[in-house]
Amino acid sequence: MAAMDGFEGELKELREVFKSGKTREASWRRAQLHGILSLFKERESDILKALNQDLGKHHVEAYRDEIGTVIKSANYALGNLKKWMASKSAKLPLASFPASAKLVQEPLGVVLIISAWNFPFGLSFEPIIGAIAAGNAVILKPSELSPTCSSVLANTIRDYLDNSGIKVVEGGSDVGENLLRHKFDKIFFTGGPRVGEIVMTAAAKFLTPVTLELGGKCPAVVDFISSSWDKKIAVKRIIWGKYGACGGQACIAIDYILTHKKFAPTLVELLQKYIKKSFGDNPMESHSLAKIVNKRHFSRLKQLLEEPGVKSSIVYGGKSDEQNLFIEPTILLDPPLDSLIMTEEIFGPLLPIITLEKIEDSVEFIRARPNPLAVYGFTTNQNLQKKMIAETSSGAITFNDAIIQYVADTLPFGGVGGSGFGRYHGKYSFETFSHEKAVMRRGYLIDFGFRYPPWNNKKLQLLKSGLRYDYITLVLIKLGLKSKAC
Ligand code: NAD
């Protein structure tokens, strides 16, 4: 039994509502998804204000990452809900003839979603959409590090969604730990690996399945680019993929670049040019770059720059403003590989460039490190693309752009190895919060004696055929239309 911590009432209500079957109704699921659409339409300005207050996000960036994407995902779920919920028929082996089988989608129950601060609305609502679409009751714990957003999440969800089936609990690690003392039917966690371990350990006690959406260092391999048009577009996209989403505080932001030694001077020059074009001479005044979330992260990033050998590798930027928690876009050339900036997830606007003799060496460089959430390749060289796909492992791999894979409902989003496990977005979110139940139906009309003892070798032969073929294949073999070997 969990100690009394104030959540018993909420959890009991969620469990009862789930048991009542209310959240399983297609009409309930649709109503909640429509509720999310109304919430984002009617409370857009509150959301934008909160994102600006907590993270300094420009309203255009905030709309793109945390409103537009969620509206897109809710509409996508509404458009596909009927198809996702439908049962699917399955083929059966001869051994079970005559029978029919189906795969039935069933919700898991009461699910806990713990989200991170860098995209407080996106990272809360993307999994909520999947959990609701799949017919679950939901409890959300947003991050305490974006407190205004957390409060707007709690208030708007209370106003627009059915609170008997969807609740928000606000608070920090203590609240998270208290929640984890309870039994859930699924825990969906977005955050760092340290807390991921805590979540998984707590879940193990109840054998609760978990999805861990963690982070890591996402490399961008930048090949030699000769065309001036391609060079310009690639550099603009690299800047966007590093600084354009929450100022580099994004799990799929480019963490560092790997490039040819001979191409590095051109790359640095172009990066500087386009950083200036994007953010001007005084990036803080551009208001187009998010601030660092808090003092602790600001100091952590400053310390990364202070390490021996790192400061001297700065080739652009490096200035910061503690009062406004702002660090300007910074580029470093060949910082030591054993420095923290090259061993820990940066999560901020610092961009190390590591130079290599041959661009193909980037594959071994990536393989020697933990699996990232995303690998990016800026190259049109098909052989290099193939080598990167075949020989590196990551949640996703994107060529000639960055971050953009996040908005594709048709692509699973999630990590592998150190960057987490489980996946979501689009249909994958529905599957993450569903159990696909095997349903088999038989009648009594026909019954094969070879399945019952007493055993003999004839029964063994029949069993071998019965287990090997489905009955359509067996009929085709009998008719001579298919060979036995296949
Ligand atoms: P975090 O792990 O510190 O916190 C995440 C959530 O866990 C917060 O809600 C926090 O309150 C809660 N928490 C903290 N301690 C807890 C405890 N002991 N028990 C229960 N809950 C607890 O992560 P963060 O700083 O919010 O986010 C940054 C990290 O998240 C980075 O590593 C980043 O890469 C990763 N991230 C991953 C994704 C993704 O989609 N894969 C997205 C965003 C961020």
Side-chain angles (χ1 to χ4, degrees):
M1 263 300 277
M4 289 293 284
D5 53 25
F7 304 128
E8 286 78 10
E10 278 102 330
L11 292 171
K12 189 164 175 265
E13 188 184 358
L14 288 174
R15 208 150 280 291
E16 276 166 11
V17 165
F18 179 72
K19 259 196 201 154
S20 75
K22 184 183 185 186
T23 63
R24 290 174 184 249
E25 297 292 331
S27 57
W28 184 86
R29 307 184 198 197
R30 282 190 184 284
Q32 304 317 306
L33 293 169
H34 280 296
I36 291 174
L37 291 175
S38 307
L39 181 164
F40 276 89
K41 197 169 157 208
E42 289 165 25
R43 303 294 282 274
E44 181 180 310
S45 69
D46 295 339
I47 295 170
L48 293 175
K49 256 189 238 152
L51 285 164
N52 187 263
Q53 186 159 331
D54 287 344
L55 299 161
K57 287 192 188 186
H58 190 281
H59 67 268
V60 175
E61 181 191 327
Y63 184 90
R64 180 198 64 194
D65 293 349
E66 308 229 38
I67 297 180
T69 46
V70 176
I71 291 173
K72 165 201 68 66
S73 299
N75 276 321
Y76 189 79
L78 276 165
N80 286 283
L81 191 62
K82 196 170 168 195
K83 191 167 73 197
W84 294 343
M85 286 176 69
S87 57
K88 293 155 191 80
S89 62
K91 274 169 80 173
L92 289 169
L94 179 65
S96 58
F97 178 81
S100 67
K102 270 185 180 173
L103 301 171
V104 171
Q105 313 301 321
E106 74 177 22
L108 297 173
V110 178
V111 304
L112 171 64
I113 295 171
I114 300 180
S115 58
W117 52 265
N118 53 342
F119 296 88
F121 292 91
L123 297 175
S124 299
F125 275 103
E126 284 291 345
I128 285 180
I129 288 169
I132 290 171
N136 298 279
V138 184
I139 189 153
L140 167 73
K141 197 210 78 65
S143 171
E144 73 284 14
L145 299 193
S146 42
T148 323
C149 295
S150 171
S151 153
V152 171
L153 275 164
N155 294 335
T156 52
I157 287 178
R158 191 190 53 224
D159 292 350
Y160 287 83
L161 304 185
D162 172 10
N163 296 155
S164 68
I166 305 160
K167 296 190 186 296
V168 181
V169 170
E170 289 190 83
S173 57
D174 50 336
V175 168
E177 277 170 16
N178 278 338
L179 280 166
L180 290 175
R181 293 201 182 99
H182 295 271
K183 183 183 185 317
F184 292 93
D185 300 301
K186 167 98 195 185
I187 301 175
F188 186 100
F189 170 79
T190 304
R194 187 190 63 81
V195 184
E197 250 182 72
I198 296 173
V199 169
M200 211 167 151
T201 307
K205 194 172 156 209
F206 301 106
L207 297 179
T208 298
V210 294
T211 292
L212 298 184
E213 294 285 340
L214 309 179
K217 289 179 84 62
C218 302
V221 174
V222 184
D223 197 1
F224 180 78
I225 306 170
S226 55
S227 141
S228 55
W229 171 261
D230 291 4
K231 242 188 318 227
K232 176 177 149 186
I233 304 294
V235 166
K236 283 170 79 171
R237 290 180 185 171
I238 290 168
I239 290 165
W240 185 79
K242 176 67 189 181
Y243 308 106
C246 204
Q249 302 167 106
C251 54
I252 48 171
I254 294 173
D255 190 278
Y256 64 93
I257 286 177
L258 297 168
T259 196
H260 288 276
K261 205 161 232 148
K262 59 181 184 218
F263 189 54
T266 312
L267 183 61
V268 171
E269 193 188 313
L270 286 171
L271 285 168
Q272 292 180 6
K273 179 175 163 191
Y274 285 100
I275 286 174
K276 281 195 177 152
K277 282 201 169 199
S278 302
F279 305 111
D281 285 329
N282 187 349
M284 200 172 86
E285 277 169 15
S286 76
H287 300 290
S288 290
L289 194 66
K291 65 174 182 168
I292 306 306
V293 63
N294 60 22
K295 238 181 166 147
R296 180 168 65 82
H297 280 283
F298 181 88
S299 308
R300 178 185 64 77
L301 288 161
K302 288 281 291 174
Q303 270 168 18
L304 294 184
L305 293 178
E306 295 302 326
E307 249 194 301
V310 174
K311 199 165 192 174
S312 56
S313 71
I314 297 175
V315 289
Y316 184 77
K319 287 208 267 321
S320 58
D321 175 342
E322 185 166 4
Q323 206 182 346
N324 291 299
L325 296 176
F326 191 83
I327 299 179
E328 65 177 351
T330 299
I331 304 173
L332 305 98
L333 193 58
D334 283 322
L337 293 182
D338 59 355
S339 58
L340 287 175
I341 203 167
M342 283 312 298
T343 51
E344 306 232 320
E345 184 180 20
I346 296 172
F347 227 59
L350 317 176
L351 178 59
I353 299 175
I354 304 298
T355 59
L356 305 167
E357 292 298 333
K358 297 197 307 295
I359 200 67
E360 288 74 16
D361 295 344
S362 57
V363 170
E364 198 38 51
F365 191 99
I366 296 167
R367 278 166 74 115
R369 289 163 175 78
N371 295 340
L373 196 52
V375 165
Y376 301 114
F378 287 83
T379 178
T380 50
N381 175 342
Q382 295 295 314
N383 288 334
L384 179 60
Q385 290 194 3
K386 278 190 201 146
K387 191 173 166 67
M388 287 175 66
I389 295 169
E391 296 178 25
T392 67
S393 179
S394 56
I397 186 161
T398 297
F399 292 103
N400 301 314
D401 212 331
I403 300 190
I404 198 97
Q405 72 274 12
Y406 181 83
V407 295
D409 293 299
T410 48
L411 294 178
F413 185 88
V416 58
S419 49
F421 58 84
R423 53 201 200 153
Y424 74 136
H425 287 197
K427 174 169 76 79
Y428 303 101
S429 295
F430 180 90
E431 289 173 356
T432 282
F433 290 102
S434 297
H435 165 59
E436 197 164 52
K437 185 156 73 182
V439 177
M440 192 170 181
R441 287 196 177 89
R442 301 209 64 198
Y444 293 110
L445 197 61
I446 299 175
D447 197 40
F448 293 121
F450 65 80
R451 60 182 279 192
Y452 304 112
W455 304 124
N456 57 43
N457 282 341
K458 188 160 179 240
K459 287 186 178 177
L460 181 63
Q461 285 312 312
L462 288 165
L463 270 171
K464 280 184 180 173
S465 296
L467 291 170
R468 186 164 170 201
Y469 305 112
D470 61 51
Y471 41 84
I472 295 174
T473 308
L474 199 73
V475 170
L476 293 176
I477 290 171
K478 288 276 175 231
L479 294 173
L481 297 172
K482 205 164 188 167
S483 82
K484 255 189 172 180
C486 60

